Amino acid sequence: MDFDNKGLRFSKRKRVAAVCVLAVLALACAGFGTALKRPLSVRRDTFAMGTLVRISVCGRNKAELEAAAAAAEAEISRLEELFSVHIASSEIARINADPEKEGGHTVSAETYGLLKLALKEAEETGGAFDPTIGAVVSLWGVGSERARVPDGAEIQSLLDKTGWAKVRLWQTSNAAKPSETIYRVSAGGGQKLDLGAIAKGCAADGAARVLRGHGVKSALINIGGDLTVLGKSPRGRDWRLGLQLPDGPHGEYFAVLAASDAVIITSGAYERYFERDGVRYHHIFDTKTGRPAKSDLVSVTIVMGRLEAEGNAARCDALATALFVMGFEKARAFLRAHPEVQAVLAAEGGEGLEVFITEGLKNRAELSKGTTLKADAGEKR
Ligand code: AMP
Ligand code: MG
């Protein structure tokens, strides 16, 4: 993309909602079959990483496209089995079972790499994104049948067990095989890891890598509404990608972005929550309070060119969560300091949604009726 400044259990309702999201986001692929040269398209849907995953690939050879999409899907499942806190045999679940294990835990290069990026993003965002939020996430149980509002003392006791700074990562070599690197992790303060805010992005990066390895030039990877597009759409144009209207019917967009070779990842309070006594408790936590973040934003979309670097989708994923926690002013300050990151910040306005759009996206965003630009949107960053 050519920007100018360069694990979970799901309720039935949630699954239905996710199906709707995918169904409507399929609009983005509407070019399949109608392009002049009629490229072939292959689509695979599955349920992974706690959500619906759709991989759409486009090219000339059906068998090759099918093999590529199947391999990308398998890669997502493979990564889920490493990272999910809900799979008891995953590497992250193993660490959580004994965070302070003497000598640390040996993990794969993939888990090590994602934890390394997660710690970097935690530092970069001042802890707004914190991969050691696991105990707090599990206490509230948002999105599960045991969701509840814990009392202050319970929260406080677990807050003492969060904090990314005490996670240690180090490498050693295998004495028997010196060329082999051994990756180790330990969480010094007994912290519980939760990579839910970054793992979907990492899986998208992995799937994109696999598709590229299979020679795929045009594809859309949709992991629960987080989108990665390879190349241009089958019509040879930018993909048109809808941003979900928070709390609107699934598939109703507040904006459409035109993009190619890009990652477009959204976090919002409307994605998963429960209600008690008229109060909404959502799934994105403020690591300072151990409670759902009181953000003045309703959704944050982070956009980056996919080809700039490996790991972009994972970074976008972490940042979408972090900027939501930060709220409007801090998120804007972050974006000013990180011009390589493009974003759409959406807040409730008097009459509909008000959005701030970074300079590099201004000419790529089409706002829907009822959505207004925040007055200072588009200022030079
Ligand atoms: P996302 O949908 O990418 O915003 O990620 C939300 C998920 O990340 C939640 O369901 C939790 O598992 C986890 N999470 C919640 N709050 C945070 C936070 N402040 N930092 C890191 N992970 C979080
Ligand atoms: Mg995220």
Side-chain angles (χ1 to χ4, degrees):
M1 188 165 183
D2 184 22
F3 292 129
D4 58 2
N5 70 345
K6 302 249 168 216
L8 297 165
R9 268 172 284 138
F10 256 46
S11 67
K12 195 169 166 201
R13 196 172 126 248
K14 199 75 200 173
R15 280 175 190 249
V16 170
V19 171
C20 293
V21 173
L22 288 187
V24 182
L25 279 166
L27 276 177
C29 310
F32 287 149
T34 57
L36 282 179
K37 291 183 185 165
R38 293 204 166 264
L40 291 166
S41 72
V42 165
R43 204 173 78 192
R44 281 183 78 98
D45 291 345
T46 190
F47 191 82
M49 313 214 72
T51 192
L52 279 161
V53 173
R54 168 166 290 177
I55 298 170
S56 307
V57 287
C58 183
R60 302 275 159 214
N61 183 313
K62 191 157 190 231
E64 281 173 19
L65 291 174
E66 275 169 355
E73 191 181 289
E75 178 66 359
I76 292 171
S77 300
R78 186 182 75 85
L79 294 172
E80 179 180 18
E81 279 164 28
L82 293 177
F83 307 145
S84 173
V85 290
H86 303 286
I87 299 176
S89 58
S90 80
E91 294 190 339
I92 296 301
R94 257 198 310 115
I95 297 168
N96 283 349
D98 187 6
E100 295 168 287
K101 182 181 171 194
E102 212 177 314
H105 293 267
T106 299
V107 294
S108 60
E110 289 89 335
T111 299
Y112 186 87
L114 186 57
L115 283 170
K116 197 165 166 203
L117 179 65
L119 296 183
K120 184 166 161 261
E121 293 310 322
E123 183 169 20
E124 185 176 61
T125 62
F129 164 83
D130 188 332
T132 63
I133 193 82
V136 169
V137 171
S138 150
L139 176 69
W140 285 80
V142 180
S144 74
E145 274 143 27
R146 50 177 189 82
R148 70 183 178 97
V149 183
D151 66 40
E154 284 178 285
I155 296 171
Q156 195 51 47
S157 70
L158 294 184
L159 270 184
D160 297 342
K161 293 210 162 187
T162 62
W164 57 274
K166 284 192 184 153
V167 175
R168 271 191 65 219
L169 304 176
W170 71 102
Q171 301 181 13
T172 59
S173 56
N174 185 341
K177 224 179 173 194
S179 62
E180 195 180 294
T181 305
I182 296 180
Y183 300 97
R184 288 208 200 273
V185 181
S186 83
Q191 294 94 338
K192 304 269 189 204
L193 301 171
D194 182 326
L195 297 180
I198 191 169
K200 290 202 289 290
C202 180
D205 283 324
R209 199 163 37 242
V210 166
L211 292 180
R212 267 202 315 275
H214 277 75
V216 172
K217 301 276 187 297
S218 170
L220 187 148
I221 301 160
N222 181 345
I223 305 186
D226 289 343
L227 308 173
T228 298
V229 290
L230 271 70
K232 292 195 178 289
S233 80
R235 290 178 170 185
R237 300 183 197 148
D238 279 341
W239 300 86
R240 288 173 52 74
L241 305 158
L243 307 188
Q244 172 65 39
L245 178 68
D247 291 320
H250 281 281
E252 190 168 332
Y253 305 136
F254 69 90
V256 174
L257 294 182
S260 54
D261 272 324
V263 178
I264 293 153
I265 291 192
T266 299
S267 277
Y270 62 94
E271 290 179 318
R272 199 176 317 136
Y273 60 87
F274 67 94
E275 282 176 347
R276 287 287 180 283
D277 303 326
V279 180
R280 177 184 293 193
Y281 298 96
H282 63 78
H283 71 308
I284 303 177
F285 292 92
D286 183 332
T287 47
K288 293 195 180 73
T289 63
R291 297 173 187 276
K294 286 202 165 130
S295 182
D296 54 359
L297 295 170
V298 289
S299 100
V300 172
T301 300
I302 303 288
V303 183
M304 274 195 247
R306 186 188 58 79
L307 298 179
E308 281 166 32
E310 291 288 330
N312 262 358
R315 183 167 182 234
C316 288
D317 194 356
L319 290 180
T321 308
L323 268 62
F324 178 85
V325 173
M326 287 178 195
F328 183 68
E329 286 305 332
K330 282 193 181 153
R332 276 200 49 202
F334 182 94
L335 292 167
R336 265 188 236 111
H338 296 87
E340 77 283 9
V341 181
Q342 301 295 329
V344 179
L345 308 178
E348 290 295 354
E351 293 161 25
L353 225 52
E354 276 187 1
V355 295
F356 168 80
I357 302 178
T358 53
E359 194 66 18
L361 283 182
K362 255 175 62 190
N363 297 331
R364 298 180 169 275
E366 224 175 79
L367 298 187
S368 306
K369 217 171 145 215
T371 304
T372 50
L373 267 186
K374 264 195 177 294
D376 58 356
E379 70 174 4
K380 267 266 173 263
R381 300 195 297 125

